[in-house]
Amino acid sequence: MKQRIHHCLVATVLLATSFAGSTARSAETITFSEHIAPIVFENCASCHRSKEAAPFSLLNYRDVQKRGELILTVVEDRYMPPWHVQSKDYVFQDHRGLTETEVALISDWVESGMAEGDSSKLPALPKFTGGWQLGEPDLVVSMKEGYTLYAEGPDIYRNFVVPLNLDEDKWIQAIKFRPGVRSVVHHSLFYYDTSGDARQRDAADPVPGFKTMGRGTERGGAIGGWALGGTPKMLPDGLAYRLPKGSDLILSTHFHPSGKEETEVSTVGFYFADEPPSQRFTGIQLPPVFGALAGINIPAGDSAYTKTDSFVLPVDVKAFGISAHAHYLGKCMSMTATLPGGEVKELMTIPDWDFSWQESYRFDGYISLPAGTRLDSEVVWDNSEDNFNNPNVPPKRVR
Ligand code: HEC
C-alpha cells in the first residue's frame, strides 16, 4: 500500500515538470525526427534492435510511435534505460539514464500527438558492430553441439567443453558471451582446463556437456563470466587473464527453462592483449563462493533475510570494478569500505535487485583502498510471496 502511494506522488511531480516544459517550448513542435530520435538512438537502440537484449526494436518512427505511451511510462518511472547500482561516493562508467529535460521532451511529444516531422532531419543511427560491442574479437568459438533443454522443470547447471586449439599462451582482455537462446540462459561462468579432465567427463556423459565441475586443479582456472544483462568490458590497461596454450574453454552454464523446448549453442568471442600484463589482479567475494559456505537458510515467508560479511585488506589495493550476483530471491545488496581513518565509503548499493540485470560495474578510474581498509557487504533476500520472482508458491525454506 505504502509503495502505491509513493508511486502516485512521483507521477504527480513529473507531470508538473512536463507541463512547465511544454509552456516554455510551446512555439515549437516537438517531432520525432528532430527531438526524439536523437534520445532514442543514443540511449535505447543499443539494446532495442534485433538480436540484442530487448524484446523489440526502437530504430524508426513507427517502432517508437507504436509504443509511445508505454515508452513514456517506463522513462518516467526510470525503469528504462535499465540501471540498478548507485554510490554517493564514486562514479561508474557507462552510466545509463535520461536527463529530466529528455524525459520532459518525450512527455511533450507523446502528449502532443507524436508528430513525425521532417525525416531529412533524422540523425544517423549509431554504428553497431553486429552484436560485438567491443569490435571484432580475435577469436570466436561456439559450443560443438547444441544442448537441448526441456520446456519445464528445475533449473539446469551444465558444463560444456570448447576446444580452443591455441599453440601459444594468450592474455585475455575481454570475453564476450553470446547465448544462442537468450530466454533460457541465466548465467555462464568461464574456466580453462589444460588437464583434459573436462574432455573426459564430457565424453563419459552421453548428452552434450557434463554435470559437475571438478574442484580447481593447478591446470585450470577461472576467467570471468557472464550473467543476464551483462555487457563485456575490456580490463583496464595492463591487466589480463592468462590462457595457457592447449587450454579447453569450459562454459559452466545455468539454464532456466522457458516453457518451450530449446536448443542452446553459446558463442564466445575473445579479445587478447598484445603483451603479458604488468600487474596482477584478483576478485574478493563477500560472502565467498557465492555464499555457499555462509549457512544461508531462509525461512519460508521471511521478506528480509540478511547476511553480512567483512574482510580487512592486508595490502594496498586499487579497485576498478564491482558486481553483485543473486537469483530469484535477491532483494538488495550493498558494500562499503571503511578506510583506516574511519571514513566510510559507499562502494555500491543495489537498492532493488533485479534478477535480469546482473551487470559488472566499472568505477570511473581506480579507487584507492589502503591496507587496513575493511570491506563490509550485506545481502538481503526476500522469500515471501510478495516477491513475484519467488519460484515457490507458497514459499518454501531455502538453503
Ligand atoms: C541495456 C539494454 C536496454 C536499454 C539501453 C534500454 N532497454 Fe528497454 N528493455 C530492455 C530489455 C531487456 C527489456 C525487456 C525486459 C524488461 O522489461 O525489463 C526492455 C523493455 C522495454 C520496454 C517494455 C517494458 C514493458 O513493461 O513491457 C520498453 C517500453 C522499453 N524497454 C523502452 C526503452 C527505452 C525508451 C529506452 C531508452 C530510453 C530503453 N528501453 C533502453 C533493454 C534495454
Side-chain angles (χ1 to χ4, degrees):
M1 194 57 196
K2 218 172 175 180
Q3 276 210 328
R4 271 230 148 108
I5 294 169
H6 179 71
H7 247 88
C8 293
L9 279 177
V10 172
T12 316
V13 174
L14 283 170
L15 219 69
T17 330
S18 72
F19 276 130
S22 44
T23 349
R25 255 190 315 271
S26 58
E28 194 192 359
T29 315
I30 314 287
T31 66
F32 178 77
S33 304
E34 247 182 295
H35 306 98
I36 304 304
I39 302 174
V40 171
F41 290 0
E42 179 68 28
N43 298 282
C44 321
S46 59
C47 298
H48 284 272
R49 63 192 168 100
S50 96
K51 298 218 181 93
E52 284 307 322
F56 50 84
S57 292
L58 293 176
L59 298 176
N60 58 43
Y61 174 68
R62 275 293 296 150
D63 290 346
V64 178
Q65 184 262 346
K66 205 161 63 182
R67 294 193 168 81
E69 300 282 344
L70 183 60
I71 288 172
L72 178 56
T73 310
V74 299
V75 298
E76 284 188 331
D77 285 353
R78 304 277 167 195
Y79 179 65
M80 286 286 146
W83 186 258
H84 290 92
V85 76
Q86 60 191 47
S87 163
K88 61 183 177 341
D89 295 307
Y90 301 107
V91 174
F92 295 101
Q93 293 175 13
D94 306 319
H95 175 268
R96 289 192 288 260
L98 298 187
T99 62
E100 292 294 335
T101 316
E102 289 168 329
V103 173
L105 264 175
I106 294 177
S107 167
D108 285 356
W109 180 66
V110 171
E111 254 124 64
S112 64
M114 301 189 258
E116 180 171 11
D118 178 355
S119 60
S120 71
K121 298 206 166 133
L122 267 182
L125 271 175
K127 280 215 166 54
F128 298 117
T129 46
W132 300 114
Q133 286 96 332
L134 299 173
E136 275 307 309
D138 298 305
L139 174 67
V140 178
V141 292
S142 293
M143 275 162 56
K144 295 171 293 183
E145 5 170 30
Y147 173 70
T148 300
L149 56 147
Y150 42 64
E152 272 170 59
D155 284 14
I156 300 165
Y157 291 82
R158 202 158 176 90
N159 306 291
F160 304 97
V161 183
V162 185
L164 298 176
N165 305 315
L166 296 171
D167 50 18
E168 55 176 12
D169 289 1
K170 294 284 188 189
W171 295 98
I172 304 169
Q173 277 192 306
I175 296 180
K176 162 77 178 170
F177 176 85
R178 297 173 72 176
V181 187
R182 267 178 190 279
S183 53
V184 297
V185 180
H186 176 261
H187 74 242
S188 188
L189 299 175
F190 316 141
Y191 299 89
Y192 71 81
D193 173 40
T194 57
S195 68
D197 181 47
R199 280 189 195 203
Q200 272 171 22
R201 287 163 194 255
D202 187 10
D205 189 317
V207 179
F210 61 98
K211 214 165 164 187
T212 338
M213 280 287 284
R215 279 286 153 213
T217 68
E218 273 165 39
R219 291 190 293 160
I223 47 174
W226 174 89
L228 205 57
T231 39
K233 294 182 180 68
M234 292 284 183
L235 285 168
D237 290 341
L239 300 181
Y241 290 106
R242 190 169 89 98
L243 182 63
K245 69 175 173 191
S247 293
D248 288 331
L249 170 69
I250 317 298
L251 299 174
S252 186
T253 304
H254 169 199
F255 294 104
H256 178 53
S258 68
K260 202 170 130 213
E261 188 178 283
E262 296 282 10
T263 298
E264 168 65 14
V265 179
S266 317
T267 300
V268 174
F270 288 95
Y271 298 84
F272 296 130
D274 296 332
E275 287 169 22
S278 55
Q279 308 179 72
R280 283 164 183 257
F281 75 101
T282 188
I284 299 171
Q285 263 191 27
L286 296 177
V289 212
F290 298 101
L293 311 174
I296 297 166
N297 188 346
I298 318 176
D302 191 337
S303 64
Y305 182 85
T306 304
K307 281 277 175 198
T308 57
D309 199 8
S310 294
F311 181 74
V312 177
L313 296 173
V315 294
D316 291 348
V317 162
K318 289 191 295 175
F320 63 87
I322 193 159
S323 64
H325 185 79
H327 292 192
Y328 309 102
L329 302 186
K331 181 175 186 174
C332 48
M333 300 183 211
S334 61
M335 189 181 275
T336 57
T338 304
L339 304 182
E343 195 187 349
V344 180
K345 297 279 198 184
E346 182 183 36
L347 293 174
M348 68 150 204
T349 298
I350 298 182
D352 188 5
W353 172 254
D354 183 336
F355 157 83
S356 307
W357 293 102
Q358 319 230 359
E359 297 193 69
S360 81
Y361 300 97
R362 278 295 162 77
F363 297 117
D364 193 13
Y366 288 103
I367 289 178
S368 276
L369 301 173
T373 296
R374 193 183 74 237
L375 303 178
D376 288 289
S377 76
E378 183 183 88
V379 186
V380 183
W381 290 272
D382 180 352
N383 192 16
S384 73
E385 53 193 35
D386 293 339
N387 174 359
F388 64 86
N389 285 320
N390 197 332
N392 301 312
V393 185
K396 281 198 240 169
R397 178 176 290 276
V398 172
R399 291 190 174 82

